[in-house]
């Protein structure tokens, strides 16, 4: 039986948007570049019954996906926020439908929906986790490790995370930094749960190289080919033994159905931002669970706001693989919530307080804010 989710409608007086610059504890390198400062946006729904918070997980540049800070800011202030304010009194479940006429910009839609949901649930005194249908009070914590200077440096970095208790390691790979890096980690640490993420850095011309990864008994290879290459991923899946997991390609519930129908993936990475919101994320979860397809919760280097929401999502029963939900200190020395996520015995706790269950530290938020605007009704 599908669960009916209903949160309290709120009368939104306005939305506050902020761009944040959060210094990373160490640079994060993927196949598309290196980040030392996380540029991200947060949104606050202002209502008479209290505020709600959401996170817009765009990056400074359109390198992971087509969305980026200025595109998010522009579409939010010019189109999405005005259409929500026109309705004025809205429940979180209505946000997706109101914003549907506007194509794309899913990360922005996800952040706005989360802010409205959080406001409604806080007003009701109900947790986001309970609302989504969470069945666990903590979730296993995996860590995503960026490309390091050398395989030896990678081994050293991974050792540090294993010591802290992370239960699954994901390493980023790119052409020229794939087989040797994976081999080094496998050799150094034996049978640890290990997976790789290519962020779409390969093409079908690389099949032979990708098949070499079969030797390392990986949990999965994440997004080896381009976002649009669903058919090529299906071809690849037929030629390698390692399970193919899609990230960038899964932009919606419909995209999930298509990928599964074509055999392009046997595991799905669910990120609420990438699919337009937590409710769409739950629909993907429900479909995959019914089809026996394992899912796990991806990460976008979230602040304490998005991290709390991700922990709630990952507590749903179909999330059978550890997600990229690390402790806050894996990325940040100073988070923007009063109680940032910590690692406890390899797990992160699912917040139980009203709404997202975290309180925003306004002084810490102010210190990292580089742009702010309030759009009022
Ligand atoms: O939040 O722990 C995290 C980062 C996880 O590797 C991670 N995310 O492709 O899965 C991915 C990347 C995208 C990050 S680009 C900002
Ligand atoms: Mg990925």
């Amino acid at each position: 039986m599908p669960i009916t989710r209903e949160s309290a409608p709120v009368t939104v007086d306005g939305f506050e948007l902020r761009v944040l610059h959060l210094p990373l504890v160490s640079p994060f390198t993927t196949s598309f570049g290196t980040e030392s400062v996380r540029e991200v946006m947060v949104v606050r729904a202002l209502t008479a019954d209290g505020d709600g918070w959401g996170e817009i997980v765009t990056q400074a540049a359109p390198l992971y996906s087509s969305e980026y800070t200025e595109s998010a800011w522009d579409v939010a202030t010019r189109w999405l926020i005005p259409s929500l304010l026109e309705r004025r009194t809205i429940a979180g479940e209505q946000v997706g439908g109101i914003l549907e006429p506007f194509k794309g910009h899913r990360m922005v839609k996800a952040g706005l929906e989360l802010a409205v949901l959080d406001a409604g649930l806080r007003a009701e005194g109900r947790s986001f986790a309970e609302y989504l249908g969470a069945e666990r009070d903590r979730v296993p914590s995996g860590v995503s490790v960026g490309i390091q200077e050398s395989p030896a440096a990678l081994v050293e970095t991974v050792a540090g995370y294993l010591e802290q208790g992370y239960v699954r390691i994901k390493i980023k790979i790119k052409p020229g930094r794939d087989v040797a890096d994976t081999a080094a980690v496998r050799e150094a640490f034996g049978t640890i749960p290990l997976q790789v993420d290519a962020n779409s850095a390969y093409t079908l011309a690389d099949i032979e190289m990708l098949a070499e990864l079969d030797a390392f008994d990986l949990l999965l290879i994440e997004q080896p080919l381009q976002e649009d290459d669903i058919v090529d991923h299906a071809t690849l899946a037929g030629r390698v033994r390692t399970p193919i997991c899609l990230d960038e390609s899964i932009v919606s519930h419909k995209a999930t159905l298509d990928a599964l129908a074509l055999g392009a993936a046997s595991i799905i990475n669910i990120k609420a931002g990438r699919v337009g919101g937590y409710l769409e994320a739950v629909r993907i979860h429900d479909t995959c669970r019914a089809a026996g397809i394992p899912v796990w919760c991806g990460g976008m280097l979230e602040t304490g706001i998005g991290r709390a929401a991700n922990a709630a999502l990952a507590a749903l029963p179909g999330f059978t693989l550890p997600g990229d939900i690390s402790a806050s200190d894996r990325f940040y020395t100073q988070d923007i919530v009063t109680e940032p996520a910590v690692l406890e015995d390899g797990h992160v706790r699912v917040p139980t307080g009203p709404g997202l269950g975290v309180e925003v530290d306004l002084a810490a938020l102010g210190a990292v804010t580089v742009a702010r605007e309030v759009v009022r009704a």
Side-chain angles (χ1 to χ4, degrees):
M1 271 284 283
I3 309 166
T4 322
R5 292 179 187 84
E6 269 180 47
S7 61
V10 287
T11 301
V12 185
D13 298 321
F15 286 93
E16 179 192 70
L17 278 179
R18 288 173 187 251
V19 178
L20 314 182
H21 280 182
L22 289 147
L24 297 176
V25 294
S26 57
F28 188 56
T29 300
T30 63
S31 59
F32 55 77
T34 299
E35 267 184 295
S36 302
V37 173
R38 172 73 176 134
E39 181 169 292
V40 66
M41 287 168 64
V42 294
V43 54
R44 179 186 198 174
L46 307 163
T47 91
D49 301 314
D51 297 344
W53 293 89
E55 180 161 340
I56 298 172
V57 297
T58 44
Q59 287 184 283
L63 296 172
Y64 165 81
S65 74
S66 63
E67 294 188 76
Y68 64 104
T69 307
E70 279 80 9
S71 74
W73 185 277
D74 189 70
V75 80
T77 53
R78 198 191 293 266
W79 300 104
L80 306 186
I81 291 177
S83 75
L84 292 174
L85 292 178
E86 202 176 298
R87 284 282 287 267
R88 210 58 208 284
T89 302
I90 34 180
E93 300 77 35
Q94 295 171 325
V95 171
I98 297 169
L99 301 182
E100 203 186 349
F102 302 102
K103 309 293 187 202
H105 299 284
R106 293 183 173 92
M107 292 174 179
V108 188
K109 292 174 179 176
L112 292 169
E113 180 193 80
L114 186 60
V116 175
L117 280 171
D118 184 41
L121 292 168
R122 277 182 206 262
E124 283 180 75
R126 196 168 155 211
S127 78
F128 186 59
E130 192 248 82
Y131 166 79
L132 288 184
E135 294 188 357
R136 280 171 283 186
D137 55 13
R138 59 179 209 160
V139 295
S141 183
V143 64
S144 173
V145 185
I147 296 166
Q148 308 291 312
E149 253 167 40
S150 62
L154 174 64
V155 165
E156 201 177 306
T157 304
V158 169
Y161 289 127
L162 290 172
E163 226 159 82
Q164 289 175 49
Y166 285 103
V167 300
R168 183 228 67 195
I169 299 292
K170 152 169 149 182
I171 62 168
K172 294 287 189 179
I173 58 168
K174 67 175 183 181
R177 293 300 304 276
D178 34 46
V179 176
D181 285 60
T182 309
V185 174
R186 191 45 102 207
E187 247 158 55
F189 306 110
T191 58
I192 57 160
L194 179 64
Q195 62 195 52
V196 297
D197 185 0
N199 285 110
S200 70
Y202 298 90
T203 72
L204 272 191
D206 301 306
I207 283 193
E208 273 170 37
M209 177 268 128
L210 292 166
E212 282 181 52
L213 295 174
D214 284 347
F216 304 111
D217 277 316
L218 302 174
L219 289 168
L220 56 91
I221 172 166
E222 182 178 346
Q223 196 71 36
L225 315 177
Q226 292 294 306
E227 176 179 323
D228 292 340
D229 290 344
I230 301 287
V231 172
D232 285 357
H233 276 106
T235 303
L236 177 64
R239 301 271 301 272
V240 299
R241 204 165 39 81
T242 310
I244 304 294
C245 170
L246 289 177
D247 173 359
E248 284 90 327
S249 296
I250 302 298
V251 296
S252 63
H253 181 250
K254 178 61 166 60
T256 311
L257 293 177
D258 291 353
L260 296 179
L262 284 167
S266 52
I267 299 174
I268 301 292
N269 167 327
I270 298 185
K271 286 180 185 166
R274 200 193 57 225
V275 303
Y278 283 85
L279 296 176
E280 183 80 347
V282 171
R283 285 189 277 276
I284 294 171
H285 160 272
D286 293 349
T287 289
C288 289
R289 189 175 181 220
I293 297 291
V295 305
W296 56 281
C297 184
M300 291 296 289
L301 297 82
E302 279 83 355
T303 73
I305 295 173
R307 206 165 286 274
N310 285 349
L313 178 67
L316 268 64
F319 285 82
T320 53
L321 290 169
D324 283 343
I325 309 179
S326 55
S328 167
D329 70 4
R330 183 258 172 269
F331 289 115
Y332 307 114
T333 41
Q334 174 70 64
D335 207 320
I336 57 162
V337 296
T338 57
E339 289 181 60
V342 292
L343 201 61
E344 294 169 355
D345 185 25
H347 290 68
V348 165
R349 216 181 292 172
V350 178
T352 54
L356 293 174
V358 286
E359 297 310 319
V360 173
D361 177 338
L362 291 173
L365 179 68
V368 294
T369 298
V370 296
R372 176 180 173 272
E373 185 173 325
V374 179
V375 184
R376 291 196 189 276

